[in-house]
Amino acid sequence: MANFDEDREMVQGFVADGHELLDELEPNLIELQKSCEAGGSTDIDKLNSIFRLFHSLKGAAGFLNLHNVTKVTHEAETLLNLLRESKIVLTPARTDVLCRACDFMHTLLAAIEENGNDQGFEGQS
């Protein structure tokens, strides 16, 4: 069993990695949103990249028992899978949902950094 310092170090590493992933995710979401608003076709490579970033966050959050992060990233993955499988089409409202998920992840990371967990957001995730 890890001690408190090791747990804190893992959580701090998750927060740092999470910020890096979000920094990579946000420009991809903006590009996806712009192409959607312009009426262009959905860039499957961009969707796959966004999916992988959410998936990476979800995997690490699951390991650390960060249930709200896991829930939000799982929901984003579900939406992205539907888009990747062409079961639904990309709309501005759907890109907005992904952008809001990204914004909420910033909120969760700030809480995790401060408190060491993502508790207290259950009704919002």
Side-chain angles (χ1 to χ4, degrees), residues 24-44:
E24 193 175 333
L25 180 63
E26 289 171 323
N28 285 324
L29 283 173
I30 291 167
E31 286 180 40
L32 190 66
Q33 190 167 32
K34 284 181 182 177
S35 72
C36 177
E37 290 169 353
S41 62
T42 303
D43 183 340
I44 193 68

Side-chain angles (χ1 to χ4, degrees), residues 34 73 76 81 83 85 91 93 103 116:
K34 284 181 182 177
T73 52
N81 262 335
L83 292 165
E85 296 168 359
T91 63
D103 290 343

Side-chain angles (χ1 to χ4, degrees), residues 10-123:
M10 283 193 297
V11 168
Q12 289 172 341
F14 170 79
V15 169
D17 291 346
H19 284 298
E20 286 180 27
L21 289 170
L22 289 176
D23 287 347
E24 193 175 333
L25 180 63
E26 289 171 323
N28 285 324
L29 283 173
I30 291 167
E31 286 180 40
L32 190 66
Q33 190 167 32
K34 284 181 182 177
S35 72
C36 177
E37 290 169 353
S41 62
T42 303
D43 183 340
I44 193 68
D45 291 333
K46 191 79 50 202
L47 280 176
N48 287 333
S49 175
I50 293 167
F51 177 89
R52 283 189 302 275
L53 292 166
F54 274 114
H55 186 73
S56 294
L57 281 167
K58 184 179 92 172
F63 177 75
L64 295 171
N65 293 315
L66 298 168
H67 301 294
N68 286 307
V69 173
T70 302
K71 183 177 178 184
V72 170
T73 52
H74 177 73
E75 292 298 324
E77 279 183 329
T78 299
L79 175 59
L80 289 160
N81 262 335
L82 292 171
L83 292 165
R84 293 185 327 159
E85 296 168 359
S86 299
K87 292 183 178 177
I88 60 173
V89 296
L90 187 63
T91 63
R94 289 180 177 137
T95 57
D96 185 57
V97 167
L98 293 169
C99 288
R100 284 187 286 132
C102 190
D103 290 343
F104 189 51
M105 287 301 306
H106 280 291
T107 300
L108 290 173
L109 287 175
I112 294 164
E113 191 167 29
E114 185 174 320
N115 307 319
N117 63 61
D118 66 349
Q119 296 172 358
F121 293 90
E122 291 72 18

